[in-house]
Amino acid sequence: MRRKIVAGNWKMNTTVAEGVDLAKSLVAKIKEVPSDVNLIIAPPFTHLVSVAQVISGSKIALSAQNCADEIKGAYTGEVSVSMLKSAGCAYTILGHSERREYYGETSSKLVKKIKLALNEGVMPIFCVGEKLEERNAGKHFVIIGAQLSEVLFELTPEEMAHVVIAYEPVWAIGTGVTATSEQAQEIHAFIRKEIAGRFGDSIANDTSILYGGSCKPSNAKELFACKDIDGGLIGGAALKADDFIAIAQSY
Ligand code: PEP
């Protein structure tokens, strides 16, 4: 079912103690968030177990920021989906542009990761988005269309029904430059149309599509008011409890 979601990607920030404090602040403020808004936080791997204990019993859900593309075994340094599940994760972010850019995350790896996650009942938050030069060259629809078809079109309809999508224009991530609500809505409508073309209207209408890229309390309301924007994937502003909660209240 299509849900309102505000997810915080903490990236490689905070120590365990700082992360636990941030989670405690969020739990203390969660009653200020409308009950139909689903809050998700994605701390670093090292924090997951401790943060899971803090948010247990609250309506905040836990996400990882990545997972391995293998089930288990001799893959030094990797973290499997079953490990994430056992740590309390209901979600994992996959295909973030920073992982595509710095860690060579390819579409074929992402297909494997998404299927492994879904097999364990962990919902992927799958990220797509164009770079600035691609937008300036008018290629944003082509790029996003390819990111969708190379990965999500490899899923069965049953699998696709459990995927959350995040549109994150790379030029807006961490730059302070946000896509206008018109730019974001245009791409979100395009993504929904592509999903409908492959999987049908019912799955497309039920898919939550989040916007990410310099989303903050001052612009969240306008973005979230758009027809095809079902919430946000928040980076920098997710590190401040007041800002993150204010964004979630923008609905
Ligand atoms: C992100 O990287 O997922 C993100 C949205 O970052 P920021 O909000 O800091 O632009």
Side-chain angles (χ1 to χ4, degrees):
M1 205 188 68
R2 189 158 158 190
R3 292 174 300 137
K4 298 176 175 179
I5 295 174
V6 175
N9 174 11
W10 294 5
K11 308 194 185 188
M12 196 172 72
N13 292 298
T14 72
T15 62
V16 175
E18 288 164 350
V20 163
D21 281 350
L22 178 52
K24 282 182 182 163
S25 303
L26 294 173
V27 170
K29 291 171 194 291
I30 188 75
K31 53 188 173 307
E32 298 165 24
V33 174
S35 58
D36 60 341
V37 177
N38 295 267
L39 271 203
I40 302 171
I41 51 176
F45 288 139
T46 44
H47 304 26
L48 291 173
V49 170
S50 311
V51 168
Q53 283 166 6
V54 175
I55 62 176
S56 163
S58 79
K59 65 166 216 150
I60 304 174
L62 193 63
S63 174
Q65 300 174 16
N66 183 31
C67 71
D69 61 350
E70 297 291 345
I71 295 178
K72 66 184 288 190
Y75 301 101
T76 303
E78 290 294 300
V79 178
S80 74
V81 178
S82 61
M83 292 172 189
L84 297 179
K85 195 174 177 191
S86 68
C89 289
Y91 298 85
T92 181
I93 298 171
L94 287 173
H96 191 282
S97 60
E98 287 153 14
R99 296 219 51 91
R100 292 177 190 261
E101 180 76 12
Y102 308 141
Y103 303 99
E105 197 105 290
T106 59
S107 292
S108 57
K109 278 197 176 202
L110 287 168
V111 174
K112 276 181 89 179
K113 290 183 178 193
I114 290 184
K115 285 185 176 273
L116 286 173
L118 290 167
N119 241 354
E120 286 285 344
V122 171
M123 285 183 80
I125 302 173
F126 173 64
C127 305
V128 296
E130 80 286 0
K131 296 179 182 162
L132 185 59
E133 59 270 27
E134 293 164 340
R135 177 162 280 267
N136 288 342
K139 290 186 181 154
H140 36 298
F141 292 108
V142 176
I143 295 293
I144 290 159
Q147 290 170 341
L148 293 172
S149 65
E150 286 170 13
V151 180
L152 297 187
F153 289 10
E154 298 298 318
L155 305 182
T156 65
E158 293 70 31
E159 288 171 331
M160 183 59 218
H162 295 95
V163 174
V164 173
I165 299 175
Y167 167 55
E168 299 207 302
V170 180
W171 47 271
I173 294 179
T175 58
V177 180
T178 317
T180 64
S181 51
E182 290 77 17
Q183 286 171 321
Q185 166 56 28
E186 184 181 39
I187 297 289
H188 281 234
F190 169 73
I191 292 172
R192 206 176 298 285
K193 190 167 87 15
E194 293 292 290
I195 298 299
R198 171 69 176 82
F199 296 103
D201 285 342
S202 166
I203 288 181
N205 287 332
D206 280 354
T207 300
S208 298
I209 308 176
L210 316 183
Y211 168 79
S214 298
C215 187
K216 36 192 180 244
S218 57
N219 57 30
K221 202 180 177 87
E222 190 183 333
L223 286 160
F224 296 170
C226 297
K227 185 166 149 283
D228 289 294
I229 300 183
D230 306 308
L233 179 54
I234 318 297
L239 294 170
K240 292 186 198 128
D242 286 343
D243 284 359
F244 190 58
I245 295 293
I247 290 170
Q249 285 176 314
S250 304
Y251 259 126

